[in-house]
Amino acid sequence: MHFASRAARVLALATLPLALTACGSSGSSGSGSSGSGGHASSASTGDPNAGLLTGTQLKKALAPASFFASGFAVDPSGARDSGDTYTPPSTAPAAKPDCARLGGTAWIDIAGISGVSFAQNDYVSKNTSEDIAQEIDAYRGTTAARVMEALEKAVTACPGFTDSQTHSKVKVTGRATSGLGDTAYTITLTDSAWENGTTLIAARVGTNVVSVMSTDGHDDGAATAKKLTERIVTALKQTS
């Protein structure tokens, strides 16, 4: 299980405390093939976690501090991983998604499917309170593909939600995205009460799902979210 991590917004009227949200794991979209990022076949060993990256290994694929612009620093409370052990997966997507989950750094939880290992952290600007979060989750078999499918269905069911801090309406839009991993999905959150929107991207790399969140910049966080996703996807593909 993941723990709480911060959700960030840059608001038009005032900078408010960043909200804590429950962290979870999730997966990615696309075909059911394991693709890159996996190792030995679990079928040959009888171990359902065989070949899956551990949290310790996933942590190495996260973007380092040098990736982030000056002024951004890691939030120690949001830096976690599952270490060298695996946890039992959960595969029970909610019949009705909790749309407000899209407002937190653990937004991938909205898919309702947890992985067996994970690594995550969160970088916040001390000057602007802009937030950039990154997470990788590993899944058994073809679960990562089902996570992406569940994510897209959840977003379709969530045209909007109420921001818990501003009590304003957040508009949610999603679209399939090419060129990032095996399959990818981009979500944009906008609200008239915010100075800038939020971009969320989920990308599947084999049995792993990368999920990022960005409020950085003046484009709803889009450019930074894409750049960060590309960085992590490349790192996972290079992992043997």
Side-chain angles (χ1 to χ4, degrees):
M1 289 290 284
H2 301 217
F3 295 84
S5 187
R6 294 198 294 184
R9 301 272 195 301
V10 180
L11 305 179
L13 301 179
T15 301
L16 299 179
L18 301 178
L20 287 176
T21 60
C23 217
S25 29
S26 103
S28 116
S29 67
S31 68
S33 62
S34 62
S36 57
H39 292 74
S41 170
S42 60
S44 64
T45 65
D47 179 0
N49 298 320
L52 300 181
L53 298 175
T54 65
T56 299
Q57 293 170 314
L58 293 172
K59 181 179 179 180
K60 295 177 181 178
L62 294 175
S66 59
F67 170 89
F68 300 89
S70 175
F72 279 88
V74 69
D75 172 17
S77 69
R80 296 182 175 84
D81 65 80
S82 53
D84 293 324
T85 61
Y86 298 98
T87 60
S90 171
T91 55
K96 184 176 181 180
D98 180 1
C99 301
R101 284 186 177 273
L102 293 171
T105 55
W107 61 270
I108 196 70
D109 282 354
I110 198 171
I113 304 174
S114 67
V116 296
S117 60
F118 76 94
Q120 67 182 60
N121 60 37
D122 186 16
Y123 281 78
V124 181
S125 171
K126 62 182 179 182
N127 301 317
T128 65
S129 295
E130 291 172 324
D131 199 356
I132 307 172
Q134 56 181 342
E135 179 176 342
I136 314 171
D137 295 276
Y139 300 86
R140 293 176 179 173
T142 61
T143 303
R146 291 196 290 112
V147 169
M148 290 300 290
E149 293 169 358
L151 172 62
E152 187 168 350
K153 289 179 181 178
V155 171
T156 299
C158 291
F161 63 91
T162 300
D163 186 300
S164 62
Q165 295 177 331
T166 62
H167 306 293
S168 53
K169 189 69 173 182
V170 181
K171 181 181 179 180
V172 179
T173 58
R175 60 182 176 83
T177 306
S178 61
L180 293 173
D182 298 320
T183 52
Y185 194 74
T186 299
I187 305 164
T188 303
L189 310 179
T190 54
D191 187 322
S192 60
W194 304 345
E195 286 185 1
N196 191 35
T198 302
T199 294
L200 315 173
I201 300 178
R204 182 175 70 84
V205 182
T207 54
N208 308 301
V209 174
V210 175
S211 56
V212 307
M213 181 201 78
S214 171
T215 66
D216 180 43
H218 302 285
D219 59 350
D220 298 332
T224 296
K226 181 180 180 181
K227 182 180 179 181
L228 178 56
T229 304
E230 290 173 336
R231 168 65 173 74
I232 303 172
V233 166
T234 297
L236 284 173
K237 287 182 176 180
Q238 293 174 345
T239 301
S240 58

